[in-house]
Amino acid sequence: MRYVSTRSSVGDRARLGFDDVLLGGLAGDGGLYVPEHVPKLPDCARPDSYAELAARIMGPYVGGTVDDDGLAELVADAYATFDHPEVCPLVALDDDHWLLELFHGPTFAFKDVALQVVARLFDHELERRDERAMIVAATSGDTGSAAMEAVAGRDRLDIVVLHPAGRTSEIQRRQMTTLEAPNVHAAAVDGTFDDCQDLVKAMFGDERFRTESRLAAVNSINWARVAAQIVYYVWAAQRLAGDRPVTFCVPTGNFGNVLAGHYARRMGLRIGRLLIASNTNDILSRLIETGELATHDVTPTLSPSMDIQISSNLERLLFELFDGDGAATAELLGQFRARGRARLTPQQHQRLAAEFFGDRLNDRETLEVMGRVRAEAQMFIDPHTAVGVGVAQRGRRPGELVVSLATAHPAKFPEAVARATGSPPPAPLALAAVADRAERCTSLPNDAEAVKDFVRSVRRD
Ligand SMILES: *Cc1c(COP(=O)(O)O)cnc(C)c1O
């Protein structure tokens, strides 16, 4: 399996192996890596376990970087950290509407499903190369703790995660600051989330520092994360459907999760429709409706992990709509960056609208859905999941079999749940335990040199 950049052109393009794509993250020309060919679904009868299916689906993408037995072992180890034997269990909301619970990993949000595998793949490849890497990341919430949990205790990796001091929820901060592992480091920056992101960019932009510190990223544009997320679409369809097509509804921010569904379909999975659920920050739903990509300011909502205006993974889909023409993809994105808007051709818009359906819920509607699900199905759901469930309920067609992805455990958002339902959701023991543990966190000024010094000081050689 070879990968190409979304900004490269047919006659003149590098083809990289999975190992370089994994460690490199972003392509040298600023594009994202995509597989040159999409493999067909492996011919498998119902697999015994989620881990077994994951190894089979990911095998062709990993393409020899890890051999089959090694991959099976690595994936089994990753999913042994989950607190449910099915890893991603299905729960019925009603006869034809199911929740696929993706929050049974160590940090109780769906980022664990991919990051637990990706960190192990990093460690494996670095071991083979006899190298080390330092992961640096900025977080406003879920990604930071999921990356830290995944890296904790890995031999070849260290991680520094910057968060804006005083601006994450108590639970989210504690999930980062109470981890006991010598190779993970939480830092609170005196600034906003954007400041944290700029500091990370400044570190990557400093060539000398980047090389000397062996910086690496595990952000949502890393192809390995998309590959790991394809698995649960196949898993859910195999468990439920027999031969009925399944429609998936995906609460969406950076477009990584729904892109994985799109790849599952390209691999041959019978997917009915892919519903893209947005909160008030609905750039994707508007794109599908109008064919125009247009930014607005980001509005904070009850579903903060979806408060995004520029969905980085969309570039991979645009590349397809341009039939693999990287120069045209880059031009459209350049226009969008410069002017805040860019338009698809009518043909491209049609292709997009044939494959995806988009809708949005505001905060009031989100709370209503949470209340209704509690009353009717006796279940607590978190605000991100509720956005998806609401969009699915509204957009569902008669006789359609729908799976809504549940992306976070309700106990991660107790205030919103209590507001919607009148009572806080019960927290799993492991989540409740972070309240009592000692915190370890370094306070840093909003200053690139100070942050670099911190990274140097914690690096293990
Ligand atoms: C990250 C996240 C999302 C959005 O996923 P994308 O892959 O960015 O579209 C939705 N819900 C929760 C809880 C998340 O953490």
Side-chain angles (χ1 to χ4, degrees):
M1 172 75 70
R2 295 274 131 186
Y3 293 84
V4 300
S5 162
T6 51
R7 306 224 178 142
S8 67
S9 286
V10 182
D12 168 35
R13 90 183 358 158
R15 293 175 165 75
L16 278 75
F18 177 79
D19 52 337
D20 290 324
V21 166
L22 173 74
L23 299 187
L26 203 65
D29 57 15
L32 275 53
Y33 291 115
V34 289
E36 199 171 22
H37 304 288
V38 177
K40 286 286 146 223
L41 280 183
D43 207 13
C44 44
R46 247 168 91 133
D48 286 340
S49 71
Y50 186 89
E52 191 185 310
L53 181 70
R56 289 223 209 126
I57 302 283
M58 291 187 75
Y61 290 108
V62 170
T65 294
V66 189
D67 65 31
D68 286 351
D69 289 346
L71 183 63
E73 211 173 292
L74 184 153
V75 168
D77 189 54
Y79 292 124
T81 64
F82 279 52
D83 72 1
H84 197 289
E86 301 246 307
V87 181
C88 301
L90 281 156
V91 180
L93 276 176
D94 63 45
D95 281 352
D96 275 336
H97 190 180
W98 296 74
L99 279 184
L100 178 61
E101 294 185 345
L102 304 178
F103 53 69
H104 289 276
T107 70
F108 302 96
F110 96 97
K111 306 286 192 295
D112 291 327
V113 180
L115 283 169
Q116 285 292 329
V117 173
V118 169
R120 283 166 174 80
L121 285 168
F122 256 80
D123 217 30
H124 181 279
E125 181 56 21
L126 290 166
E127 175 80 33
R128 200 184 65 77
R129 296 183 180 201
D130 192 20
E131 288 174 12
R132 310 185 48 80
M134 161 65 77
I135 299 198
V136 291
T139 192
S140 59
D142 290 337
T143 311
S145 57
M148 289 171 79
E149 275 285 353
V151 165
R154 308 257 83 80
D155 288 339
R156 300 267 166 177
L157 287 171
D158 300 291
I159 185 168
V160 168
V161 173
L162 309 178
H163 70 268
R167 295 179 200 233
T168 60
S169 79
E170 160 107 16
I171 293 178
Q172 285 174 330
R173 187 193 71 240
R174 285 187 164 276
Q175 282 189 299
M176 291 189 275
T177 58
T178 61
L179 256 176
E180 280 176 55
N183 65 332
V184 304
H185 309 277
V189 170
D190 184 15
T192 63
F193 171 58
D194 287 335
D195 293 331
C196 295
Q197 273 192 314
D198 288 343
L199 289 166
V200 169
K201 272 193 208 136
M203 284 191 270
F204 276 99
D206 178 343
E207 180 83 48
R208 220 170 115 197
F209 177 74
R210 187 175 75 204
T211 315
E212 143 208 318
S213 299
R214 293 174 291 259
L215 293 192
V218 291
N219 46 21
S220 85
I221 52 101
N222 197 303
W223 172 259
R225 279 179 65 175
V226 179
Q229 291 175 182
I230 294 171
V231 178
Y232 47 72
Y233 288 90
V234 182
W235 171 255
Q238 285 189 343
R239 303 251 126 187
L240 279 185
D243 22 335
R244 274 172 89 187
V246 182
T247 285
F248 285 92
C249 185
V250 189
T252 302
N254 261 319
F255 200 73
N257 201 355
V258 67
L259 183 81
H262 171 69
Y263 268 91
R265 175 149 68 185
R266 289 186 66 192
M267 292 175 77
L269 189 68
R270 282 194 70 205
I271 291 182
R273 297 187 295 158
L274 283 170
L275 311 184
I276 295 178
S278 317
N279 60 27
T280 309
N281 302 293
D282 61 347
I283 186 168
L284 290 166
S285 302
R286 285 185 284 115
L287 173 68
I288 294 163
E289 286 156 4
T290 66
E292 186 179 47
L293 200 55
T295 47
H296 294 173
D297 288 339
V298 175
T299 310
T301 71
L302 293 172
S303 43
S305 297
M306 294 155 64
D307 289 346
I308 283 166
Q309 271 303 346
I310 302 177
S311 302
S312 43
N313 267 293
L314 184 66
E315 179 162 345
R316 291 189 161 111
L317 189 69
L318 293 174
F319 182 69
E320 272 178 50
L321 293 175
F322 280 104
D323 294 316
D325 182 343
T329 308
E331 195 186 312
L332 184 99
L333 287 164
Q335 234 179 59
F336 175 63
R337 294 241 151 73
R339 296 198 220 130
R341 49 204 331 135
R343 191 170 271 291
L344 299 178
T345 66
Q347 292 75 15
Q348 288 172 327
H349 179 209
Q350 216 169 36
R351 265 169 78 187
L352 183 72
E355 281 214 51
F356 298 95
F357 173 88
D359 198 2
R360 82 280 293 152
L361 253 61
N362 63 28
D363 278 352
R364 184 183 49 76
E365 295 166 322
T366 305
L367 290 168
E368 268 167 29
V369 171
M370 293 163 76
R372 196 161 69 228
V373 168
R374 173 74 183 137
E376 289 172 6
Q378 287 75 52
M379 278 167 60
F380 288 109
I381 56 173
D382 99 288
H384 302 79
T385 304
V387 169
V389 168
V391 164
Q393 287 177 335
R394 201 152 68 192
R396 198 169 155 187
R397 294 174 178 161
E400 196 171 29
L401 177 60
V402 181
V403 172
S404 288
L405 304 196
T407 52
H409 193 290
K412 280 197 89 163
F413 299 91
E415 294 85 9
V417 173
R419 234 174 104 188
T421 68
S423 45
L429 279 181
L431 190 56
V434 300
D436 306 323
R437 255 188 247 132
E439 294 191 71
R440 183 167 65 89
C441 183
T442 304
S443 296
L444 294 174
N446 178 13
D447 173 78
E449 291 314 312
V451 176
K452 285 179 200 168
D453 280 342
F454 177 67
V455 170
R456 285 190 194 100
S457 74
V458 300
R459 203 172 66 206
R460 302 177 301 170
D461 285 308

